[in-house]
PDB file of all heavy atoms in Angstrom:
ATOM      1  N   PRO A 501       0.250  16.774 -21.986  1.00 93.00           N
ATOM      2  CA  PRO A 501       0.944  17.960 -22.518  1.00 93.00           C
ATOM      3  C   PRO A 501       0.008  19.080 -22.963  1.00 93.00           C
ATOM      4  O   PRO A 501       0.407  20.243 -22.971  1.00 93.00           O
ATOM      5  CB  PRO A 501       1.722  17.383 -23.708  1.00 93.00           C
ATOM      6  CG  PRO A 501       1.850  15.935 -23.443  1.00 93.00           C
ATOM      7  CD  PRO A 501       0.621  15.543 -22.696  1.00 93.00           C
ATOM      8  N   SER A 502      -1.244  18.733 -23.316  1.00 93.00           N
ATOM      9  CA  SER A 502      -2.181  19.767 -23.750  1.00 93.00           C
ATOM     10  C   SER A 502      -2.719  20.599 -22.589  1.00 93.00           C
ATOM     11  O   SER A 502      -3.347  21.636 -22.795  1.00 93.00           O
ATOM     12  CB  SER A 502      -3.359  19.129 -24.493  1.00 93.00           C
ATOM     13  OG  SER A 502      -4.212  18.440 -23.585  1.00 93.00           O
ATOM     14  N   GLY A 503      -2.512  20.118 -21.370  1.00 94.00           N
ATOM     15  CA  GLY A 503      -3.088  20.771 -20.198  1.00 94.00           C
ATOM     16  C   GLY A 503      -4.430  20.191 -19.796  1.00 94.00           C
ATOM     17  O   GLY A 503      -4.963  20.539 -18.742  1.00 94.00           O
ATOM     18  N   GLY A 504      -5.012  19.304 -20.617  1.00 95.00           N
ATOM     19  CA  GLY A 504      -6.253  18.632 -20.276  1.00 95.00           C
ATOM     20  C   GLY A 504      -5.991  17.353 -19.504  1.00 95.00           C
ATOM     21  O   GLY A 504      -4.845  16.890 -19.392  1.00 95.00           O
ATOM     22  N   ARG A 505      -7.053  16.774 -18.947  1.00 96.00           N
ATOM     23  CA  ARG A 505      -6.913  15.522 -18.203  1.00 96.00           C
ATOM     24  C   ARG A 505      -6.286  14.458 -19.103  1.00 96.00           C
ATOM     25  O   ARG A 505      -6.712  14.250 -20.231  1.00 96.00           O
ATOM     26  CB  ARG A 505      -8.296  15.057 -17.710  1.00 96.00           C
ATOM     27  CG  ARG A 505      -8.249  13.812 -16.796  1.00 96.00           C
ATOM     28  CD  ARG A 505      -9.651  13.327 -16.439  1.00 96.00           C
ATOM     29  NE  ARG A 505     -10.381  12.924 -17.632  1.00 96.00           N
ATOM     30  CZ  ARG A 505     -10.284  11.730 -18.222  1.00 96.00           C
ATOM     31  NH1 ARG A 505      -9.486  10.806 -17.711  1.00 96.00           N
ATOM     32  NH2 ARG A 505     -10.984  11.473 -19.305  1.00 96.00           N
ATOM     33  N   ALA A 506      -5.280  13.782 -18.591  1.00 94.00           N
ATOM     34  CA  ALA A 506      -4.647  12.707 -19.350  1.00 94.00           C
ATOM     35  C   ALA A 506      -5.650  11.562 -19.528  1.00 94.00           C
ATOM     36  O   ALA A 506      -6.512  11.346 -18.675  1.00 94.00           O
ATOM     37  CB  ALA A 506      -3.394  12.214 -18.627  1.00 94.00           C
ATOM     38  N   PRO A 507      -5.565  10.808 -20.620  1.00 92.00           N
ATOM     39  CA  PRO A 507      -6.615   9.816 -20.932  1.00 92.00           C
ATOM     40  C   PRO A 507      -6.778   8.731 -19.876  1.00 92.00           C
ATOM     41  O   PRO A 507      -7.865   8.174 -19.742  1.00 92.00           O
ATOM     42  CB  PRO A 507      -6.178   9.229 -22.278  1.00 92.00           C
ATOM     43  CG  PRO A 507      -4.749   9.598 -22.430  1.00 92.00           C
ATOM     44  CD  PRO A 507      -4.550  10.874 -21.690  1.00 92.00           C
ATOM     45  N   TYR A 508      -5.731   8.432 -19.126  1.00 91.00           N
ATOM     46  CA  TYR A 508      -5.796   7.374 -18.121  1.00 91.00           C
ATOM     47  C   TYR A 508      -6.297   7.876 -16.764  1.00 91.00           C
ATOM     48  O   TYR A 508      -6.723   7.101 -15.916  1.00 91.00           O
ATOM     49  CB  TYR A 508      -4.404   6.765 -17.925  1.00 91.00           C
ATOM     50  CG  TYR A 508      -3.362   7.825 -17.648  1.00 91.00           C
ATOM     51  CD1 TYR A 508      -3.219   8.389 -16.390  1.00 91.00           C
ATOM     52  CD2 TYR A 508      -2.547   8.295 -18.677  1.00 91.00           C
ATOM     53  CE1 TYR A 508      -2.300   9.400 -16.152  1.00 91.00           C
ATOM     54  CE2 TYR A 508      -1.619   9.299 -18.452  1.00 91.00           C
ATOM     55  CZ  TYR A 508      -1.499   9.835 -17.181  1.00 91.00           C
ATOM     56  OH  TYR A 508      -0.608  10.848 -16.952  1.00 91.00           O
ATOM     57  N   SER A 509      -6.210   9.181 -16.508  1.00 94.00           N
ATOM     58  CA  SER A 509      -6.387   9.701 -15.147  1.00 94.00           C
ATOM     59  C   SER A 509      -7.786   9.476 -14.616  1.00 94.00           C
ATOM     60  O   SER A 509      -8.792   9.733 -15.285  1.00 94.00           O
ATOM     61  CB  SER A 509      -6.066  11.197 -15.104  1.00 94.00           C
ATOM     62  OG  SER A 509      -6.291  11.708 -13.792  1.00 94.00           O
TER      63      SER A 509
END
Side-chain angles (χ1 to χ4, degrees):
S502 72
R505 186 185 62 83
Y508 52 80
S509 178

